Amino acid sequence: MNHKPVAVITGASRGIGRAISLSLASEGFDIAAIARTPDSECMLSLQPEVEKRGAAFFPIGLDIAHTALHDEAITSILEHYGRIDLLINNAGVAPVERKDVLELGEESYDRVTGINLRGPVFFAQRVAREMIWLRKQKEEYNPAIIFITSISAYMSSTNRLEYCVSKAGLSMAALVFADRLAEEKINVYEVRPGLIETDMTARVKDKFDKLISEGLIPQKRWGTPEDVAKAVASLARGDWEFSTGTVFEMSGGMNIKSL
Ligand SMILES: NC(=O)c1ccc[n+]([C@@H]2O[C@H](COP(=O)([O-])OP(=O)(O)OC[C@H]3O[C@@H](n4cnc5c(N)ncnc54)[C@H](OP(=O)(O)O)[C@@H]3O)[C@@H](O)[C@H]2O)c1
């Protein structure tokens, strides 16, 4: 069995997941990196960056929406490393096309909720079962699961209902997993980013540049993937050991309602 703790990060190739993979590599975790294509340019360039930080790197190709393939992916990680200490359920997508709620189609609803909600729920369930088994085999073992949701869990966007619903649902899933897994000594946290500058937000950058300059975000800037990764590193270190089920928001104050 691997002597170092192992972090599994979904959506590791780009954006927030990539920054989290690098920060966890620096925190002493070996990395199992999941994206749809294991040998994409992004994944190939991530490997040396992770290894430079003294961590091992194991890439896995998995579409998180395909729950029938979860078992194979998790088995391959366990065969490679022998353990999973931390799961970061980060993979997610925006709608291909933003459409008013009155025009929303079932295909987009199913795609977004399949990747952002159904997939991560069953992936977490499968990993949690392994963690419960591993706990019985190991004395020193402090497993945790982190769900990356969004401020869209509580803020409405009338042109992406499917995204908001997926994140609100995932937020509740995090709470229920936290509740159930507390007795198994597996901590579960929700990390809730605001507007973060990544590929996902590239096509709405101009719109939000303007809104941010007009005061949309109290801290008056875009978030960075590293803002999220720093918070995840703190959770991974165990700094919040007595806070299972807690929501950690990094949105520059978008949670503040001001008169
Ligand atoms: N950016 C924001 O403002 C923001 C705000 C709040 C929450 N979030 C959430 O943060 C998470 C990461 O977002 P991001 O901004 O970093 O997005 P991103 O830059 O578009 O990256 C998305 C990542 O998810 C992977 N991915 C996409 N579909 C997948 C699938 N079906 N199965 C497995 N992996 C898949 C992508 O890898 P491949 O393409 O290589 O497969 C990529 O690594 C998402 O859950 C998103 O909803 C983002």
Side-chain angles (χ1 to χ4, degrees):
M1 187 182 292
N2 216 53
H3 69 283
K4 283 170 75 176
V6 171
V8 178
I9 301 106
T10 70
S13 59
R14 296 181 280 116
I16 293 170
R18 186 182 184 94
I20 290 173
S21 302
L22 295 176
S23 87
L24 292 179
S26 299
E27 288 294 328
F29 286 82
D30 282 337
I31 302 299
I34 295 180
R36 283 168 295 185
T37 314
D39 54 359
S40 65
E41 230 172 83
C42 293
M43 286 288 259
L44 292 176
S45 67
L46 179 60
Q47 174 151 8
E49 290 295 314
V50 164
E51 289 173 350
K52 216 162 65 187
R53 289 161 172 82
F57 182 81
F58 182 56
I60 302 111
L62 171 70
D63 181 336
I64 202 73
H66 289 181
T67 51
L69 300 178
H70 287 183
D71 199 59
E72 191 185 321
I74 291 164
T75 301
S76 76
I77 296 168
L78 288 171
E79 278 173 7
H80 187 79
Y81 284 129
R83 62 195 283 179
I84 297 174
D85 299 72
L86 181 60
L87 167 62
I88 315 292
N89 251 323
N90 162 76
V93 292
V96 174
E97 202 184 335
R98 292 180 174 222
K99 281 194 176 168
D100 183 82
V101 63
L102 298 177
E103 304 299 328
L104 168 67
E106 290 181 31
E107 198 181 319
S108 181
Y109 184 92
D110 290 345
R111 171 181 171 268
V112 172
T113 58
I115 295 170
N116 292 4
L117 177 57
R118 188 173 180 276
V121 162
F122 286 100
F123 200 70
Q125 179 198 60
R126 180 67 180 74
V127 170
R129 287 182 185 152
E130 273 329 312
M131 286 172 162
I132 291 167
W133 184 84
L134 281 160
R135 164 165 294 299
K136 293 188 181 115
Q137 321 304 312
K138 288 178 56 55
E139 274 181 22
E140 281 278 303
Y141 185 57
N142 297 302
I145 297 176
I146 297 175
F147 289 86
I148 308 294
T149 66
S150 166
I151 51 168
S152 295
Y154 67 86
M155 286 180 89
S156 158
S157 300
T158 56
N159 58 3
R160 29 177 219 146
L161 173 144
E162 65 275 58
Y163 185 80
C164 297
V165 165
S166 72
K167 292 299 182 179
L170 198 63
S171 171
M172 178 49 76
L175 192 66
V176 174
F177 273 110
D179 190 8
R180 172 62 181 85
L181 296 181
E183 69 191 80
E184 311 290 351
K185 297 190 170 61
I186 301 171
N187 278 8
V188 180
Y189 309 103
E190 177 183 344
V191 165
R192 192 179 271 179
L195 286 166
I196 310 295
E197 207 168 350
T198 66
D199 292 349
M200 183 180 275
T201 47
R203 61 189 159 141
V204 287
K205 183 165 180 341
D206 291 348
K207 171 185 162 186
F208 283 109
D209 277 348
K210 183 164 179 294
L211 289 172
I212 291 168
S213 72
E214 289 165 2
L216 176 71
I217 298 178
Q219 287 186 255
K220 282 202 181 295
R221 68 167 174 88
W222 281 89
T224 64
E226 290 70 29
D227 286 322
V228 183
K230 272 192 256 177
V232 168
S234 168
L235 294 169
R237 277 197 300 272
D239 295 349
W240 300 88
E241 208 279 326
F242 197 51
S243 300
T244 196
T246 299
V247 180
F248 294 84
E249 177 161 328
M250 35 308 319
S251 68
M254 287 183 83
N255 50 312
I256 300 167
K257 282 187 184 169
S258 150
L259 277 176

